[in-house]
Amino acid sequence: MYAKRLDNLPPYLFAQIDKLKAQKRAEGVDVIDLGVGDPDLPTPKHIVDSLCEAARDPATHHYPDYTGMIEYREAVSEWYKRRFNVSFDAKTEVLALIGSKEGIAHVPEAFVNPGDYVLATDPGYPVYKTSTLFSEGILHEMPLKEENDYLPELDKIPADVLKKAKLMFFGYPNNPTSATAPISFFEEVVEFAKENNIVAVHDNAYSEIAFDGYKAPSFMEVDGAKEVGMEMHSLSKTYNMTGWRLGMAVGGEELIAGLGRVKTNVDSGAFDAIQRAGITALTSSQQCVADACNIYQKRRDTLVSGLRSLGFDVRSPKATFYVWMKVNNSMKFAEKMLNEAGIVVTPGVGFGKNGDGYVRFAITRDVERINEAIERMRGLEF
Ligand SMILES: *Cc1c(COP(=O)(O)O)cnc(C)c1O
């Protein structure tokens, strides 16, 4: 019944976990869900108020502009200038997205011909792979290994792959490994993309979720980045707006125009009232972001010190709301956690074969629940 491209999709591990989780809940287990990469914190009130007001204005009820409201694109451009000191022409170098997942899912359609290679980090955000498959590109996985600080080794990519490589997906601060990248790595990517004629697509969804004074860079800060690439960003993680579906792509004019051509033919843009609320989010005080990071930082400290007290060797992340931990067998570990402690964690193998041997904890639950999870784990043998 279904097209081959659906049959070719890798099994969606997360759907399987959702099923097991629902089953446990039906059995009456008080499940602690450290699996979901979705903030439990609400969207800040001033942003919600802005949406309510905008939704009452009939001017927002029509088809939006395909590329996004110019005021929204200007707000994005000003935010990038303030935050990363990079300038974008709001008219030609900024595109509104219906969440950055949408941009990631559509970008290969603009640049990849059937049979072209797409380079993507493994483990990685699953949409890098599925969008490659939908565009009939061939996936080349770039392993992220602990011994390389979870950065891909660009010089290990075979010459025959490079010859036909058209696009590269990568993202730091990284989901799922929570690794960060130094700007020197982004400089390396710009050189690499130039040399090999590759469109570099950086996924920067977590740049604002950072701790201990760390400030994540943007790929676009590097000289020459606009000529080779673009960055996908989003309001989802920064302002607890995952359900709202609002993001942005920024980058070189021609590249942004390519993605824009795909989108014009597929969707009709994000609801104007949501874009107006997005403007409020980007242009108001950023104290709400600092507050959220303080909360995540306390949770991170609770989880990391708890896991260490249980004897696990775990790295304390500088950014993202994930803790990535080495285990013997990621599926077995996750199953045991759910069956014997009622705790959901995500097996690393769900993000790609190089994620095997790791699990991901999301610190999207409060300190009390994280402490309870640690107490429940204390009785288990791993
Ligand atoms: C959450 C996430 C996104 C997409 O978020 P949107 O809600 O679609 O903006 C993109 N990349 C990574 C790595 C993510 O974790």
Side-chain angles (χ1 to χ4, degrees), residues 51-65:
L51 170 70
C52 293
E53 194 185 318
R56 287 196 191 93
D57 179 357
T60 65
H61 298 175
H62 304 284
Y63 281 121
D65 186 303

Side-chain angles (χ1 to χ4, degrees), residues 74-101:
E74 278 164 0
V76 167
S77 169
E78 285 156 21
W79 181 81
Y80 258 88
K81 179 74 192 163
R82 268 196 312 278
R83 173 64 179 84
F84 300 110
N85 198 27
V86 189
S87 300
F88 293 103
D89 180 341
K91 282 200 195 71
T92 57
E93 297 176 326
V94 180
L95 189 62
L97 299 175
I98 309 173
S100 56
K101 178 179 184 179

Side-chain angles (χ1 to χ4, degrees), residues 99-101 104 125 128 175 203 205-206 234 236-237 245 322:
S100 56
K101 178 179 184 179
I104 293 163
Y125 185 57
Y128 306 156
N175 174 14
D203 179 5
Y206 294 95
S234 162
S236 287
K237 313 289 161 57
R245 314 312 304 135
Y322 304 113

